[in-house]
Amino acid sequence: MTWPDVVPHLKAAHLGFLALWTAGLFALPQMLARHDRGLLKSEFTQIRRATHYSYVWIVTPAAVLAIASGTALIFVREVFTVWLFAKLVLVAGLVAVHAWIGHTIIAVAETEGRHEPPNALVPGLILIALVLAILLVVLAKPELMELPVPGWLQSPRDRSLPFDVPSR
């Protein structure tokens, strides 16, 4: 099997893991919204375990595998364009939402009813915006202008570094 033969399998894996990751990111805030102060301790424990195990054993591995398969696709296809870097910034937004949801799960679990999870609409709207932006960038592959970088960063200066470089 050559590298071009691997691309469809990597794309399928990437899309599958990405679908599982984003579905989990949409579902977890809905599950967190079920943490009501009026719940019995056994009901609270059941919902807490479901959110915790979903995050740890399903959503986080799907995120890691989606990012790993996407990274492999970048190198196999040798796609190093500006639109890809825009996509990576948006994926970093997904990672930030993932971390925020994980933090909320821990805060709700450790405070047993004293921490109020955010309305499920807030992370949902953020996720919709991120997913739609990622789809737009990936499917349209817009011709983005080169990143604005100062001229002094684009050409060598033929000077030594301002600090001592250790020898090997």
Side-chain angles (χ1 to χ4, degrees):
M1 194 180 256
T2 62
W3 282 117
D5 296 335
V6 174
V7 171
H9 301 290
L10 274 175
K11 281 188 179 183
H14 180 62
L15 289 174
F17 291 130
L18 188 62
L20 184 59
W21 181 26
T22 55
L25 290 180
F26 278 109
L28 284 169
Q30 299 295 327
M31 293 169 71
L32 283 170
R34 301 278 316 238
H35 286 85
D36 187 13
R37 294 177 193 269
L39 289 176
L40 298 173
K41 187 166 180 69
S42 62
E43 292 171 330
F44 177 84
T45 302
Q46 181 181 12
I47 293 172
R48 188 198 65 75
R49 282 188 180 155
T51 55
H52 177 78
Y53 289 134
S54 297
Y55 184 81
V56 170
W57 297 109
I58 298 171
V59 179
T60 300
V64 170
L65 292 171
I67 291 171
S69 60
T71 303
L73 274 170
I74 291 170
F75 289 105
V76 169
R77 301 268 329 265
E78 296 179 358
V79 181
F80 302 103
T81 58
V82 177
W83 70 263
L84 178 75
F85 297 116
K87 177 195 172 196
L88 293 177
V89 168
L90 294 168
V91 170
L94 281 179
V95 171
V97 171
H98 183 97
W100 176 40
I101 290 171
H103 168 74
T104 304
I105 288 171
I106 290 172
V108 167
E110 290 180 352
T111 59
E112 278 193 50
R114 292 188 311 263
H115 180 80
E116 192 70 34
N119 185 346
L121 186 64
V122 174
L125 290 175
I126 293 170
L127 286 168
I128 287 171
L130 285 170
V131 169
L132 288 177
I134 289 171
L135 285 173
L136 177 71
V137 168
V138 169
L139 296 176
K141 293 179 179 56
E143 288 294 326
L144 299 173
M145 294 177 52
E146 290 296 320
L147 298 175
V149 179
W152 59 271
L153 279 177
Q154 295 179 357
S155 62
R157 294 289 162 192
D158 297 324
R159 288 186 261 173
S160 61
L161 295 173
F163 51 87
D164 292 331
V165 178
S167 61
R168 292 188 185 228

